[in-house]
Amino acid sequence: FRLQALNDASIFTGRTGEIARLEEDYQLWRTGNFASVAVVGKKGSGRTSLLNIASTSALKNTGLFRIDLPKGIHDEQSLSGLFGNISREKQPKTLDELELVLNGLSTPVVIIVENLHNAFIRTVNGFELVERFLLLISRTPAKVFWIVSCGIYMWNYFEKTISIRRYFYDVIELGDIDQEMVRDIIMKRHRLSAYELEFTPGERDKTEKRYKRLGSEQERQEYLAREFFYDLDARSQGNISVALLLWLLSVVSIKPNKVIISNEMEDDTG
């Protein structure tokens, strides 16, 4: 059970509508239309997992390149250098050179660029590199199907300052997930362990008349599971990463064939 983004479609839950939109946009691009896509959401909303699954489903069997913009990318040479593996003949040192390389490709490609917000510099003219990169996107639509991910807060800031939406055909916003999806995500991951689950009652549960009236252990476990996931959803506020972390923090012990979960959840997420 790990906190990192998913690569396995069999345990990926939800976001089917978003995956379908990506596939529709891709098919639209293949017919010669401008169809660049932005995937926007909070940290922990599943942006990377969505792109991982899309890469192995909707975008499978494409010429795909994936670039994660690290913090500290402040100039064209550093940014252009990240695209060096696209062309073996010429390594671009500026975005103008990169534009020539991309438009000169014999076969169109898919390029995923993650964390666009890392190209923003909190100084005067801090938008310059971001705007220059967006211009590159608008100048290479015939050869590149662009998918760009960005944090929601910086995206909203970009929209207010440089009207970033005008550079994209589709903006896929990853909203908060609901209680049912939180439970499904966690249980799909847990089932891979083949361990049984046992929920232990908290002090509040022990005083609840509904709990005390339950006659069998199965009924008590079903009650505790419902209460646990209700509390988990309220505390995580629809954030997948927070929900997964709270789940792990609730594990009190692991027996040979069973994981013991405490219903007295401690919020130690920072």
Side-chain angles (χ1 to χ4, degrees):
F1 197 104
R2 300 175 181 176
L3 291 178
Q4 69 253 37
L6 290 177
N7 290 293
D8 187 350
S10 67
I11 58 174
F12 182 72
T13 298
R15 309 299 192 196
T16 54
E18 290 86 346
I19 293 287
R21 278 174 63 180
L22 260 178
E23 185 168 11
E24 288 174 6
D25 294 336
Y26 173 66
Q27 295 301 330
L28 182 66
W29 172 76
R30 289 188 64 193
T31 61
N33 294 282
F34 174 73
S36 60
V37 180
V39 178
V40 181
K42 298 177 185 176
K43 183 177 181 180
S45 63
R47 297 192 309 261
T48 298
S49 291
L50 177 76
L51 295 174
N52 288 347
I53 302 305
S55 297
T56 59
S57 57
L59 303 176
K60 189 177 181 180
N61 300 322
T62 66
L64 189 149
F65 296 88
R66 193 160 175 177
I67 296 162
D68 187 353
L69 294 189
K71 294 180 179 179
I73 294 292
H74 296 156
D75 57 70
E76 285 196 26
Q77 184 171 355
S78 299
L79 180 57
S80 301
L82 297 175
F83 293 82
N85 62 338
I86 295 177
S87 173
R88 297 179 181 178
E89 298 179 1
K90 183 177 181 180
Q91 299 300 304
K93 295 182 180 179
T94 67
L95 292 178
D96 283 335
E97 290 181 2
L98 178 58
E99 181 182 333
L100 291 173
V101 168
L102 295 177
N103 282 328
L105 292 173
S106 57
T107 304
V109 297
V110 177
I111 300 180
I112 297 175
V113 178
E114 295 191 69
N115 300 314
L116 176 63
H117 46 269
N118 284 339
F120 172 70
I121 311 170
R122 297 181 185 278
T123 61
V124 177
N125 298 323
F127 296 102
E128 186 174 343
L129 187 59
V130 175
E131 288 188 290
R132 185 64 188 85
F133 175 68
L134 294 171
L135 186 61
L136 172 72
I137 291 176
S138 69
R139 289 177 173 176
T140 54
K143 293 295 186 176
V144 182
F145 177 58
W146 291 97
I147 304 174
V148 177
S149 79
C150 185
I152 186 66
Y153 301 115
M154 282 305 301
W155 175 268
N156 290 338
Y157 185 50
F158 288 154
E159 178 59 22
K160 290 178 181 178
T161 51
I162 60 175
S163 302
I164 192 172
R165 280 180 179 266
R166 61 195 167 105
Y167 293 96
F168 295 92
Y169 168 77
D170 192 10
V171 178
I172 299 175
E173 296 191 27
L174 303 183
D176 294 336
I177 58 176
D178 59 25
Q179 182 181 343
E180 182 178 350
M181 193 181 296
V182 168
R183 182 168 183 164
D184 198 19
I185 288 170
I186 288 175
M187 293 308 297
K188 275 191 173 182
R189 292 193 182 205
H190 172 73
R191 288 187 193 107
L192 293 177
S193 71
Y195 279 69
E196 296 180 11
L197 280 178
E198 180 180 318
F199 294 88
T200 60
E203 293 303 317
R204 182 186 64 185
D205 298 311
K206 294 175 183 178
T207 61
E208 281 284 340
K209 292 181 180 180
R210 288 177 299 167
Y211 178 74
K212 291 192 287 186
R213 283 198 299 264
L214 299 174
S216 69
E217 180 60 21
Q218 181 179 343
E219 289 176 319
R220 287 190 287 270
Q221 284 298 305
E222 291 174 354
Y223 171 89
L224 292 172
R226 285 195 303 270
E227 291 298 304
F228 177 87
F229 283 106
Y230 178 84
D231 194 17
L232 182 68
D233 178 60
R235 290 171 180 262
S236 64
Q237 298 182 340
N239 186 288
I240 298 170
S241 292
V242 173
L244 292 172
L245 180 55
L246 287 171
W247 168 261
L248 292 177
L249 291 172
S250 298
V251 175
V252 292
S253 64
I254 300 177
K255 296 181 179 181
N257 65 340
K258 187 178 293 185
V259 176
I260 310 301
I261 302 292
S262 171
N263 266 44
E264 289 189 322
M265 194 179 301
E266 295 184 12
D267 188 351
D268 190 26
T269 59

